Amino acid sequence: MTNSTGRRVTANLSLTLDGRYNGPGGPSDFAAFAPYVTSEVARNHMNRIWENATTALLGRLNAEGFMGYWPSVAEDENADPRDRGYAKWLVDTEKVVFSATLTEAPWARTRVVNAPAADVVADLKATGEGDILVNSSTSIIKPLLSADLLDRLYLMIFPEIAGGGQRLFDDGLPASKWTLTHQQSGELGEIAMVYDRVR
């Protein structure tokens, strides 16, 4: 389904061993994730996700959280250089925020869309260059998985069983084959993996 520009659609997400992207306490329950997100492996992985990306796709909640946090990191000379690199990229890159409630974007270089993810991605793939990164936003990742439009998955797996919370891979997804193109494990048992879609 790649169009003449050859832009890849990529997505990143962190998961527990039982496949959850949040804990049983709901969308803001990241207790099982906290010990690992600043590890060497996690920080190196974060650098990997954006190095080829020129467009960031975000759901509204993630956009509000990210843009409330990362711009100050971009300005912080004492921040880890990898955190600062990601923060600067996020602030400076083209951002597309999916929302049914926002009418205008409160952030620079951002446009708000209220349309199906598959349609927006098809439009983005028709022009421009560089990867289109779905930045930790499952409200966009899930419909793109359903439409088989993701070309690469950047996954961090944390060695905890959350025992509840939302899962990334729901029943009913189309069958697909992926190849492991990168893997790195950390001292805490966390694993960074990059999977490319076999087409």
Side-chain angles (χ1 to χ4, degrees):
M1 296 264 313
T2 7
N3 156 317
S4 58
T5 65
R7 297 187 79 181
R8 278 186 312 194
V9 184
T10 69
N12 74 293
L13 201 62
S14 296
L15 299 171
T16 57
L17 278 181
D18 52 343
R20 319 280 184 169
Y21 57 86
N22 56 37
S28 59
D29 179 0
F30 296 111
F33 298 70
Y36 311 99
V37 293
T38 56
S39 74
E40 289 297 299
V41 168
R43 281 189 156 128
N44 290 339
H45 189 67
M46 190 165 70
N47 255 15
R48 205 172 292 117
I49 69 171
W50 64 264
E51 62 188 358
N52 296 311
T54 54
T55 305
L57 306 189
L58 295 151
R60 179 183 61 82
L61 289 176
N62 266 15
E64 289 173 347
F66 286 14
M67 298 312 287
Y69 175 76
W70 287 108
S72 61
V73 177
E75 303 297 322
D76 181 1
E77 293 180 9
N78 297 315
D80 183 287
R82 292 162 296 186
D83 292 357
R84 205 164 172 211
Y86 169 77
K88 286 180 168 178
W89 170 81
L90 184 64
V91 168
D92 293 340
T93 202
E94 171 193 27
K95 291 171 284 295
V96 179
V97 174
F98 288 73
S99 174
T101 54
L102 284 177
T103 51
E104 56 185 49
W107 312 286
R109 289 171 287 287
T110 305
R111 64 188 171 98
V112 175
V113 297
N114 182 8
D119 295 351
V120 173
V121 162
D123 289 345
L124 286 168
K125 287 183 75 163
T127 58
E129 55 187 25
D131 289 354
I132 300 160
L133 169 67
V134 186
N135 208 341
S136 295
S137 296
T138 51
S139 61
I140 307 166
I141 296 172
K142 285 186 172 195
L144 293 180
L145 276 172
S146 293
D148 195 16
L149 288 174
L150 286 179
D151 303 308
R152 171 171 279 188
L153 281 170
Y154 295 97
L155 297 177
M156 278 295 308
I157 307 298
F158 298 140
E160 303 216 5
I161 292 174
Q166 294 169 289
R167 293 182 191 273
L168 173 60
F169 300 109
D170 296 324
D171 287 349
L173 287 174
S176 57
K177 183 174 172 56
W178 300 75
T179 185
L180 182 67
T181 57
H182 180 87
Q183 177 182 329
Q184 185 182 9
S185 57
E187 294 176 2
L188 300 173
E190 75 281 23
I191 305 175
M193 294 180 291
V194 182
Y195 281 100
D196 283 343
R197 177 76 171 93
V198 178
R199 298 201 185 274

